[in-house]
Amino acid sequence: APPNCEIYREDEDCYEACQLAIEAIRYKQGSYTSQEYFSESIEMCPSFPYSFMEKAVPYLKRGQFIEWKRLIDRAVELSPTSYLGYRGWCRLQFLRDYEGAIQDIELLKQSINGDIGYCQTGDYHLNVALALCYKELGNYDKARTLIQEHLTTNQSYNDPYDYYHLGVIEYESGNYELAIQHFMKQIEVNDYLGETYYFIAMANKKLEKFEAYKQNLIKAEQYYKNGKMRSDTYTET
């Protein structure tokens, strides 16, 4: 979405920089013309965070992470509450930089009084993203607590993958019956994941319930063949 240039009316340079940024987003993201407009915008007003953020995005998508981080770090420096969550999510999604993602999201939680919001794709609340980072670092208790607190606080929302990840945490912790309960809740909320049935199958196998194992494994295969699985345009979380 374009920025609101009217809030910069009292600063002629930053107002013009904002106008240049609006011109930039009229062209294909990452194109030479678009990036040049963002560069001009930054030169016109070096304290305008939007242009740093938007100029950074194409580098992220191309895998040019050093250049992305140089630009996004400047955006975060200029407007921490606007971009800490985004940088933290990207550290998880693209770089598997779990410590860095935790640092960003925790700092965001300390910086604002209220809900910290969702990741860029809208699939994960940032508290769940935080939980996934702790899980990957082996802190299952912290990960479990964060997701449970999020689900308790946001009972009216049906995020697409929360119960699935909670189920995986219990499965990897050896709590197979509890894992199955969470996976069944995932099916109730969002029955679109072959992964859910796969893990139900694996949990039943651990419990030596071999008929349930076989049935769910077959169903998982059917879901996969029909394209019912988690997917992302850039990289799987």
Side-chain angles (χ1 to χ4, degrees):
N4 177 14
C5 295
E6 295 307 308
I7 64 175
Y8 299 100
R9 272 290 187 181
E10 295 182 3
D11 187 323
E12 185 177 343
D13 287 344
C14 289
Y15 180 75
E16 185 173 344
C18 186
Q19 296 294 329
L20 287 167
I22 290 177
E23 191 65 27
I25 62 177
R26 292 175 179 164
Y27 295 88
K28 184 177 180 180
Q29 187 182 60
S31 67
Y32 178 84
T33 303
S34 177
Q35 293 294 78
E36 278 296 296
Y37 272 117
F38 282 128
S39 295
E40 290 177 25
S41 172
I42 290 168
E43 185 176 349
M44 181 68 65
C45 180
S47 62
F48 184 56
Y50 178 87
S51 288
F52 284 99
M53 157 68 179
E54 291 298 329
K55 185 177 180 181
V57 173
Y59 293 108
L60 178 74
K61 293 179 178 179
R62 292 168 179 159
Q64 295 174 269
F65 300 121
I66 293 175
E67 185 62 18
W68 167 76
K69 191 168 185 303
R70 183 184 71 81
L71 290 163
I72 198 61
D73 284 355
R74 181 61 176 147
V76 170
E77 180 184 343
L78 291 167
S79 185
T81 56
S82 298
Y83 300 116
L84 270 170
Y86 167 77
R87 187 177 69 180
W89 168 253
C90 292
R91 282 175 147 176
L92 163 61
Q93 184 188 25
F94 288 87
L95 303 177
R96 303 300 192 259
D97 174 14
Y98 306 117
E99 293 92 345
I102 289 171
Q103 181 181 359
D104 280 348
I105 299 172
E106 292 284 14
L107 184 57
L108 179 64
K109 292 175 76 170
Q110 297 169 19
S111 302
I112 65 174
N113 182 22
D115 187 72
I116 59 174
Y118 281 74
C119 70
Q120 292 299 103
T121 64
D123 291 337
Y124 294 94
H125 192 278
L126 287 172
N127 279 324
V128 176
L130 188 62
L132 295 179
C133 291
Y134 280 111
K135 172 186 174 290
E136 292 303 317
L137 293 174
N139 191 340
Y140 286 88
D141 290 338
K142 179 72 171 179
R144 179 187 295 110
T145 298
L146 282 166
I147 296 180
Q148 288 174 335
E149 287 177 350
H150 171 68
L151 290 170
T152 301
T153 305
N154 298 276
Q155 291 182 351
S156 60
Y157 297 97
N158 291 320
D159 297 334
Y161 306 127
D162 292 353
Y163 286 102
Y164 165 76
H165 285 297
L166 191 55
V168 173
I169 287 170
E170 298 299 352
Y171 173 81
E172 294 185 359
S173 299
N175 303 320
Y176 305 118
E177 294 282 6
L178 185 55
I180 291 172
Q181 291 178 30
H182 291 314
F183 291 132
M184 295 307 294
K185 181 65 176 179
Q186 173 65 42
I187 290 170
E188 180 183 328
V189 170
N190 176 26
D191 186 15
Y192 194 77
L193 303 179
E195 292 93 333
T196 306
Y197 291 99
Y198 171 80
F199 274 104
I200 292 174
M202 294 299 103
N204 276 296
K205 184 179 182 182
K206 294 288 186 179
L207 295 168
E208 298 185 352
K209 297 180 180 180
F210 296 112
E211 185 59 32
Y213 158 67
K214 181 180 178 180
Q215 290 175 357
N216 280 282
L217 201 60
I218 290 171
K219 194 159 190 176
E221 182 183 29
Q222 292 171 344
Y223 270 53
Y224 273 110
K225 286 182 176 180
N226 288 312
K228 292 185 175 182
M229 65 189 79
R230 291 187 303 153
S231 62
D232 187 272
T233 305
Y234 304 110
T235 179
E236 190 55 65
T237 304

